[in-house]
Amino acid sequence: MSLLRRFSTIKIGGSAERVLWMSELSGRIDDLPQPIRVLGNGSNVLMSETLRGTVILTREESLAAPEIVREEPDEMQLILPAGMFLPSLSKWTADRALTGAEFMVGVPGTIGGAVVQNAGANEQKTSSLVVEVEAWDLESAALRWVSAADAEFAYRSSRFQREKFLLRRVKLRLKRGEPEEIQARLKLNLDYRRQKTPFSRPSLGSMFTRIPKEDGDWWYPGQLIESVGLKGFRRGQTQISEVHANYFVNLGGARFSEVLSLMDLAQERVLKETGLELRPEVQIWQD
Ligand SMILES: Cc1cc2nc3c(=O)[nH]c(=O)nc-3n(C[C@H](O)[C@H](O)[C@H](O)COP(=O)(O)OP(=O)(O)OC[C@H]3O[C@@H](n4cnc5c(N)ncnc54)[C@H](O)[C@@H]3O)c2cc1C
């Protein structure tokens, strides 16, 4: 299997002892080199160039199409493979006048990764759509459906970040909407990406999560990092984006260690100058 950087939106990554597609899984998973890690589209994982254990890839070329399992006058329920690409899902639902997944048009991940990270944007979030998730418990090897109520969803967080599950399929519920409004929301999401983010550079999206204020508002990491003078700051081939300081971009040949040290620098500087603690939104894979 070729270098894992192929499966990373920031184009950083190297080797693992074993890399395989989800469809290649057979037999006992405890025979695989440990630890076992699951990669969707690698749009929220910062991985070191050398990893122990196994990486299972879910964004396969020949995935099943979404299956409509329930149709009601005002909503539809679908089951889809965890490896389905979010912009494709957004388009698939918009074509059927279903609303709720418009934000996914600009999020370059898979639905499995979106469930794990509870991805969201512009007042929409994955947890609002999930009915249940077919999950393979990598500790016990049991396959079962986990309901949304048991998924412990919170802002950019779910139980699947803390426990070792391989998500295989996701059941979603989407409301029927007005086609013009859905198209307008798709456009709003894409316009925002093009105007306010380093759209064309390899990145992991937001590096840090927003910090809640006591009055219900938020501190935004991009503004905090900019306020301590780090916007545009560069270490090797990694740069804190000049467009949006919560995005770190690969200028060509960036290394895991550079990104990590820029994250440390941003966290230290923001803590020292504002007293606020930046927490990574990205998952960090290293041994
Ligand atoms: C340009 C850009 C814009 C972005 N914009 C947004 C945004 O607006 N909102 C937002 O919330 N996020 C955003 N992101 C972050 C990211 O795209 C989302 O979090 C996305 O849902 C991650 O999906 P993925 O398939 O890439 O997950 P990965 O990065 O591959 O994995 C993320 C985590 O999920 C786990 N995982 C993935 N698939 C499975 C599975 N099938 N079973 C078990 N575990 C799994 C991984 O082990 C890892 O812990 C952006 C990223 C980029 C690069």
Side-chain angles (χ1 to χ4, degrees), residues 22 25 29 38 79-80 82 112 115-116 130 132-148 150-151 158-161 163-171:
M22 182 146 74
L25 276 179
I29 43 175
V38 186
I79 293 185
L80 37 136
V115 170
V116 174
V130 174
E132 54 184 346
V133 180
E134 189 187 36
W136 198 352
D137 184 333
L138 293 174
E139 303 288 346
S140 67
L143 184 65
R144 62 191 166 102
W145 285 91
V146 178
S147 71
D150 286 335
S158 75
R159 156 185 195 180
F160 307 113
Q161 292 174 345
E163 293 173 49
K164 286 196 151 259
F165 283 106
L166 166 58
L167 308 187
R168 299 203 342 164
R169 294 190 296 166
V170 179
K171 188 194 279 186

Side-chain angles (χ1 to χ4, degrees), residues 103-116:
F103 77 96
M104 294 178 177
V105 72
V107 183
T110 62
I111 185 65
V115 170
V116 174

Side-chain angles (χ1 to χ4, degrees), residues 7 9 22 37-45 58 82-83 86 103 106-121 156 160-161 165-168 193 197 199 201 203-206 247 281 283 285:
F7 308 101
T9 56
M22 182 146 74
R37 296 175 166 111
V38 186
L39 194 65
N41 200 42
S43 64
N44 228 356
V45 170
T58 67
L86 295 171
F103 77 96
V107 183
T110 62
I111 185 65
V115 170
V116 174
Q117 300 294 83
N118 192 12
R156 297 294 177 271
F160 307 113
Q161 292 174 345
F165 283 106
L166 166 58
L167 308 187
R168 299 203 342 164
R193 308 276 155 188
T197 70
F199 195 62
R201 292 269 193 206
S203 80
L204 292 171
S206 297
Y247 282 58
E281 177 171 324
Q283 301 292 325
W285 289 4

Side-chain angles (χ1 to χ4, degrees), residues 152-211:
E152 297 166 19
F153 284 121
Y155 165 64
R156 297 294 177 271
S157 156
S158 75
R159 156 185 195 180
F160 307 113
Q161 292 174 345
R162 297 177 285 278
E163 293 173 49
K164 286 196 151 259
F165 283 106
L166 166 58
L167 308 187
R168 299 203 342 164
R169 294 190 296 166
V170 179
K171 188 194 279 186
L172 301 181
R173 176 192 293 118
L174 288 112
K175 299 267 178 227
R176 295 187 200 276
E178 289 301 323
E180 298 77 31
E181 288 174 16
I182 292 169
Q183 290 304 325
R185 272 194 290 273
L186 290 175
K187 183 171 178 317
L188 183 88
N189 276 284
L190 283 176
D191 287 350
Y192 169 81
R193 308 276 155 188
R194 293 198 182 108
Q195 289 159 15
K196 303 275 179 143
T197 70
F199 195 62
S200 54
R201 292 269 193 206
S203 80
L204 292 171
S206 297
M207 299 300 291
F208 300 103
T209 53
R210 290 176 292 171
I211 303 170

